[in-house]
């Protein structure tokens, strides 16, 4: 039997001063703009949403659809190529870079999570790792992609599943944690 450590978490020692995602002013301005233009049910045209994201440093390609109530933590850590669908209530919690290649679909309520905490440290240190969603991949409704994961080209993460490791191209994954279910065959 493994020996159990008696050390205890001490959040009083938590310190993420090394993490600097931008000035407080920039973060505040983004929060206001996001609440008004992006994370809202007000039906602003897509081109307005794309302009706002670009103004705050996001790389946004052509034909990127951004549905209502999308939450993007820091747009300066977002690269979205062309022909992408970002569904209603998607949360891109990008403490570091999130890359969405062309023809990616993020279904309603999915979560892209780039940050976590080191549970082996008493101080619960912040950990950030980038996410890459490759061309043609589909993240199902209410699914979560964890920090450091690459979702392979044309892979599918089924509804309410959790990807905590890389997903192979043209594969369908399901569950928590997500496991390979079958190959994705695309017909014309």
């Amino acid at each position: 039997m493994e020996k159990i450590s008696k050390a205890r978490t001490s959040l009083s020692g938590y310190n993420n001063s090394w993490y600097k995602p931008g000035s407080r002013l920039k973060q505040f301005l983004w929060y206001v703009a996001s609440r008004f233009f992006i994370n809202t049910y007000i039906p602003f045209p897509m081109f307005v949403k794309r302009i706002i994201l670009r103004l705050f440093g996001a790389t946004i390609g052509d034909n990127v659809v951004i549905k209502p109530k999308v939450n993007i933590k820091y747009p300066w850590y977002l690269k979205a190529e062309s022909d992408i669908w970002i569904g209603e209530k998607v949360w891109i919690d990008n403490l570091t870079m999130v890359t969405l290649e062309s023809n990616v679909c993020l279904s309603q309520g999915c979560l892209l999570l780039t940050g976590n905490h080191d549970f082996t440290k008493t101080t619960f240190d912040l950990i950030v790792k980038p996410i890459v969603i490759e061309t043609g991949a589909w993240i199902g409704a209410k699914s979560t992609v964890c920090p450091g994961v690459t979702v392979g080209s044309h892979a599918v993460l089924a509804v309410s599943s959790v990807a905590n490791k890389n997903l192979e191209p043209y594969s369908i994954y399901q569950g928590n944690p997500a496991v390979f279910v079958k190959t994705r065959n695309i017909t014309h």
Side-chain angles (χ1 to χ4, degrees):
M1 183 172 172
E2 186 177 329
K3 185 177 178 181
I4 298 174
S5 169
K6 298 298 182 184
R8 296 180 182 260
T9 300
S10 176
L11 294 179
S12 65
Y14 178 76
N15 180 353
N16 70 340
S17 61
W18 62 269
Y19 180 71
K20 300 190 183 328
S23 72
R24 296 260 187 217
L25 178 61
K26 182 179 183 180
Q27 291 178 52
F28 174 75
L29 292 174
W30 167 245
Y31 177 79
V32 172
S34 174
R35 294 295 294 162
F36 189 73
F37 292 104
I38 310 296
N39 192 356
T40 181
Y41 280 116
I42 298 171
F44 288 105
M46 295 300 153
F47 80 90
V48 171
K49 293 179 181 185
R50 290 189 294 260
I51 288 170
I52 297 298
L53 286 165
R54 287 177 185 133
L55 285 173
F56 279 91
T59 301
I60 304 290
D62 296 328
N63 301 316
V64 174
V65 173
I66 305 160
K67 300 302 275 183
K69 293 299 284 181
V70 169
N71 188 1
I72 299 170
K73 177 78 89 180
Y74 299 127
W76 45 94
Y77 292 137
L78 177 63
K79 178 182 179 187
E81 293 180 359
S82 297
D83 304 308
I84 292 172
W85 182 279
I86 301 175
E88 189 171 352
K89 295 185 179 179
V90 165
W91 184 0
I92 301 175
D93 192 29
N94 53 337
L95 299 171
T96 190
M97 200 66 197
V98 167
T99 302
L100 308 174
E101 294 182 359
S102 295
N103 297 296
V104 161
C105 179
L106 302 178
S107 292
Q108 304 89 322
C110 74
L111 169 62
L112 305 184
L113 185 64
T114 62
N116 203 344
H117 295 276
D118 187 346
F119 61 84
T120 67
K121 302 286 186 187
T122 60
T123 52
F124 213 50
D125 297 348
L126 177 66
I127 301 168
V128 295
K129 295 180 182 176
I131 290 174
V132 177
I133 312 292
E134 293 181 349
T135 301
W138 177 15
I139 308 302
K142 304 281 186 178
S143 290
T144 301
V145 178
C146 293
V149 169
T150 295
V151 177
S153 176
H154 295 85
V156 175
L157 182 61
V159 171
S160 295
S161 296
V162 177
N164 62 359
K165 62 182 181 198
N166 293 345
L167 306 185
E168 293 298 317
Y170 289 92
S171 298
I172 300 173
Y173 290 81
Q174 183 176 26
N176 180 6
V179 295
F180 173 82
V181 175
K182 64 182 179 178
T183 299
R184 180 181 184 188
N185 294 311
I186 301 174
T187 59
H188 298 275

